[in-house]
Amino acid sequence: MAVQRYVSNKMKYNKVLLKDPWISPYVPETLWFSVTALKDMLSVYPTVFVKPNSNHRGNQILRIRNVSQQEPRSQKKSLYELCYSYKKEVKTCSLEEVIEEVVNEIKLNEKFIVQQGIDLATFGGLPFDLRILMHKPEERWQISGWLARVAKKGQIVTNHIRGAKAMPLDHVLKDNSHLNSTDLMIKLGDLAHQISQALGSYFDLRILALDMAVDKNGKLWFIEMNSDPMFRKMFKEIGNKEMVANVIHIRNYIIKKYKYTKSKKKVK
Ligand SMILES: Nc1ncnc2c1ncn2[C@@H]1O[C@H](COP(=O)(O)OP(=O)(O)O)[C@@H](O)[C@H]1O
Ligand SMILES: [Mg+2]
């Protein structure tokens, strides 16, 4: 009997995507967390994210941003801003203090990763990312719904559970007048299909949600995949009842036809 696979290993699915030369440019650079990895990433990127390797619904995420004015940035003299997804505090400190704080926060008790930060495009001054629901009822993947998730003020993550607001995708993209929203939506659709094909065939999936992002220059990025995505609340929030009904219909069709069960088999 087929069992719904629960894929929650960012390093593992990134590795699958990095094998595909068409998709790999859209995957932010990601390393297993270590002090050396954090230092290396901060020497290359102005912003980095430290987060758990498994799906955590926006919990336990840290953002470290170089806020020094001088160019080129010398790490020794640099100042960094440290923000958390799980508390309001913001710290400005030296590299040594950043390292001490991050190591202390994550306690190295779980596998964490350090990732190139994407400078997310904004809506009303707040960063947003994109949630795309993908289904494969027969031979082909299809987009069953998509929306933008606009971060709550002061929050560094765009998870709905962390207060982000769901908004219609076209509305949010059109608001960024320097971006070509029609072109972006076509590219996003293409990329979502390519990624679903790659992940779906590797992990044997027929339902998945992709978290993608557009940066301030209009470049698309892959942030993460969810094999057991929540969608009802988010899609109801944008008032698209037709989309919700469609998603439920396709989902139920897949669950019945392929005997997806509620018990989850974790793919390591
Ligand atoms: N590299 C990054 N650059 C910019 N924002 C990021 C990055 N990684 C995560 N985020 C923000 O944090 C949110 C949660 O990160 P994600 O990797 O999806 O972890 P989780 O499994 O906790 O949902 C993303 O939706 C995005 O808003
Ligand atoms: Mg996520």
Side-chain angles (χ1 to χ4, degrees):
M1 186 201 264
V3 177
Q4 181 170 352
R5 280 159 202 276
Y6 184 59
V7 184
S8 174
N9 182 334
K10 292 181 167 77
M11 278 306 238
K12 177 146 190 182
Y13 55 69
N14 275 7
K15 206 169 153 190
V16 173
L17 296 179
L18 289 172
K19 276 193 203 139
D20 183 322
W22 199 87
I23 300 173
S24 59
Y26 301 94
V27 181
E29 185 174 358
T30 312
L31 301 172
W32 283 113
F33 180 84
S34 70
V35 170
T36 313
L38 178 60
K39 277 188 186 168
D40 287 352
M41 290 290 247
L42 283 170
S43 70
V44 182
Y45 302 107
T47 305
V48 307
F49 278 71
V50 173
K51 52 189 184 180
N53 183 49
S54 60
N55 191 322
H56 261 61
R57 297 179 173 186
N59 199 9
Q60 287 257 272
I61 299 184
L62 296 117
R63 186 186 73 191
I64 303 121
R65 179 173 277 175
N66 190 327
V67 289
S68 306
Q69 300 299 325
Q70 79 270 17
E71 287 288 349
R73 296 184 177 101
S74 125
Q75 268 196 324
K76 277 204 174 130
K77 288 184 201 142
S78 283
L79 270 185
Y80 297 87
E81 177 202 76
L82 185 56
C83 300
Y84 313 76
S85 68
Y86 49 99
K87 55 182 177 183
K88 285 210 167 109
E89 217 175 322
V90 178
K91 285 187 177 159
T92 306
C93 43
S94 68
L95 183 65
E96 289 68 33
E97 288 164 332
V98 164
I99 291 166
E100 201 186 319
E101 173 68 7
V102 174
V103 168
N104 185 41
E105 282 295 305
I106 68 177
K107 310 237 173 356
L108 301 174
N109 60 355
E110 203 205 342
K111 286 186 169 172
F112 273 72
I113 55 176
V114 51
Q115 186 169 71
Q116 164 189 2
I118 309 304
D119 196 10
L120 301 184
T122 58
F123 177 76
L126 301 168
F128 69 87
D129 76 353
L130 319 167
R131 166 57 60 110
I132 308 175
L133 282 183
M134 303 293 297
H135 291 101
K136 191 183 175 193
E138 301 295 340
E139 294 310 306
R140 288 164 195 270
W141 282 95
Q142 65 176 62
I143 298 175
S144 307
W146 56 11
L147 48 72
R149 304 183 303 179
V150 183
K152 186 177 165 186
K153 197 167 179 214
Q155 178 53 276
I156 60 164
V157 298
T158 53
N159 299 69
H160 198 237
I161 208 159
R162 303 255 148 215
K165 191 170 161 34
M167 300 280 294
L169 179 61
D170 55 342
H171 180 73
V172 169
L173 290 180
K174 277 184 192 140
D175 186 67
N176 278 265
S177 54
H178 66 292
L179 304 178
N180 181 337
S181 60
T182 312
D183 193 43
L184 260 181
M185 283 168 85
I186 294 171
K187 282 193 184 135
L188 187 63
D190 270 0
L191 185 57
H193 276 91
Q194 298 275 347
I195 292 176
S196 303
Q197 186 59 39
L199 295 175
S201 52
Y202 189 89
F203 294 110
D204 191 18
L205 298 170
R206 288 185 175 270
I207 298 173
L208 59 90
L210 304 177
D211 289 350
M212 310 274 292
V214 189
D215 71 18
K216 291 208 171 78
N217 298 317
K219 183 180 180 332
L220 292 171
W221 294 93
F222 166 81
I223 295 189
E224 78 153 348
M225 63 150 283
N226 291 274
S227 58
D228 184 24
M230 293 195 297
F231 62 94
R232 282 183 177 81
K233 256 186 156 178
M234 245 183 273
F235 281 87
K236 274 187 184 152
E237 198 175 303
I238 61 172
N240 195 336
K241 285 189 187 146
E242 210 179 306
M243 201 185 257
V244 176
N246 184 34
V247 170
I248 292 173
H249 175 73
I250 300 169
R251 203 172 170 271
N252 289 344
Y253 176 87
I254 292 174
I255 288 172
K256 198 168 168 208
K257 177 159 181 180
Y258 302 99
K259 299 189 175 63
Y260 257 60
T261 68
K262 286 227 159 38
S263 63
K264 293 170 184 169
K265 182 177 168 192
K266 198 161 183 168
V267 177
K268 293 263 174 201

